Structure formats: structure tokens, C-alpha cells
Amino acid sequence: KRIIFILPILFALLGFLIALNINPVFQSNATLVIEETEKNIVNIEEVYDRDNRGGFRSANYINNQIQILKSDEVIGSILLNEKDKNKILALYKKIPEQFFVRNFKFIRKNFSKLKKANINIKGYIKSNLGVAHIRNSDVVNLNVSSRNPELAKFLLERVIEAYLKYDVDTKVKVT
């Protein structure tokens, strides 16, 4: 009888401790419409093979833009601004620690040193940035996940601004 009463209590206690250690993850989402710019010059392939080539080229254009959004150049341009970089670092340091790290000293000493020493902002942004193409459209969904809601929102805004700046700079270089 003791095992029947003690075993569920132990499982409930284990579940409670695991639940205490889980921090919420916040996600910021945005939707971008990426349209291919109109060309003034007509390509001969567009005239004779319009049905077969048009969708393929549009899909390639969207995929190229997705890769540009994820690229080191766009993400690295966020970190060029010292004010933004410092704000990202400050928000990153405000991420709440897990229950065990926060409440047990021997874990806190070892874990806090690792967390503060190994901050790779570019890697953090890349690992938490999600870009998804909506099928048969020019729409791309962006999302940034973080345990700090302000950081998720701020990073998403900066990624979009960096992408738009990159797009304008590229167009200026081409012209």
C-alpha cells in the first residue's frame, strides 16, 4: 500500500520540479511581401517560354531573398551599430535564469560564468531566427524566439531594418 501511495507522489514531485525549471519562450512574428522588381528590358525567354519559366524564376528569387535574410552580411550589419549591439547585450543579460541555477549556489557559480563568457550575438540571432516561405506566394514569415519578450521584438525589428537597408544598398550599387 505504501508503494501505491508514495510512487504517484514522487512522480508528481518530479513533474513539479521539471515544470519549475522550464522558462517561457516568447516569439515575435512578422510577414514580408517580397516582390521581384519590374525590368524595363524584356528577355527573349520571357516572351517565348513565359508559362514554364516565370514561376520557377519567382521561386528562385524568393529563395534568394530568404538566404539573404539569414546571411551573415544582414545579421552582421545589425551589430555594426554600437547602440543596437549594447541594447541587445543588455536585453540578453536580462534573460531569466532557470529555477535550479537561480536557487542553488553550486550550479549558479559554474553556469553564470559560462553564460557571461560565451555570448555570441550573431550565433544567437541566427539560431533563433526563423524564415518560412508561404507556398505559391511572395510572402515570407519571419519569427524570432527568445526567453526575453523585449529581445525577441527588438531583434525582429532590427533584422527587418537590416534587410531593407541591404536591399536598398544593393539596388543603389547596381544602378
Side-chain angles (χ1 to χ4, degrees):
K1 289 182 181 180
R2 290 180 186 169
I3 292 175
I4 293 175
F5 288 117
I6 294 175
L7 196 58
I9 292 172
L10 288 176
F11 279 121
L13 184 62
L14 179 65
F16 179 70
L17 291 175
I18 290 172
L20 283 176
N21 205 37
I22 298 174
N23 285 337
V25 176
F26 299 95
Q27 191 172 31
S28 290
N29 296 313
T31 303
L32 293 178
V33 177
I34 300 176
E35 296 177 346
E36 192 170 1
T37 57
E38 294 291 322
K39 298 177 184 174
N40 293 333
I41 301 172
V42 177
N43 190 349
I44 193 74
E45 292 176 356
E46 292 177 7
V47 175
Y48 287 109
D49 202 14
R50 174 173 247 169
D51 295 331
N52 296 335
R53 305 281 281 174
F56 180 70
R57 183 179 1 197
S58 179
N60 279 342
Y61 182 77
I62 296 295
N63 288 333
N64 290 342
Q65 297 307 307
I66 289 171
Q67 292 306 316
I68 289 170
L69 270 164
K70 295 179 183 178
S71 71
D72 283 340
E73 190 170 351
V74 170
I75 293 174
S77 68
I78 297 169
L79 304 177
L80 293 177
N81 186 347
E82 285 298 319
K83 184 178 177 184
D84 289 345
K85 184 177 179 179
N86 292 334
K87 185 169 182 179
I88 291 170
L89 281 171
L91 290 173
Y92 180 80
K93 289 178 181 176
K94 288 182 181 178
I95 292 176
E97 294 179 335
Q98 294 178 330
F99 176 77
F100 289 115
V101 175
R102 189 175 52 238
N103 293 319
F104 297 108
K105 291 181 182 179
F106 65 92
I107 296 175
R108 184 184 323 156
K109 287 179 184 176
N110 296 328
F111 187 75
S112 295
K113 289 177 186 175
L114 289 174
K115 184 179 176 184
K116 291 178 183 175
N118 296 327
I119 298 175
N120 179 4
I121 301 172
K122 189 185 285 189
Y124 180 79
I125 295 171
K126 279 185 143 186
S127 65
N128 291 311
L129 175 66
V131 182
H133 176 230
I134 296 179
R135 191 173 172 191
N136 296 330
S137 70
D138 293 339
V139 177
V140 175
N141 285 331
L142 299 172
N143 64 349
V144 176
S145 301
S146 178
R147 292 198 169 138
N148 183 343
E150 292 177 54
L151 181 60
K153 178 183 176 263
F154 185 73
L155 287 178
L156 184 64
E157 289 172 352
R158 293 300 169 250
V159 167
I160 292 170
E161 286 177 13
Y163 169 71
L164 293 174
K165 185 177 182 308
Y166 174 85
D167 192 41
V168 169
D169 290 345
T170 304
K171 288 177 183 175
V172 167
K173 286 180 186 176
V174 168
T175 56

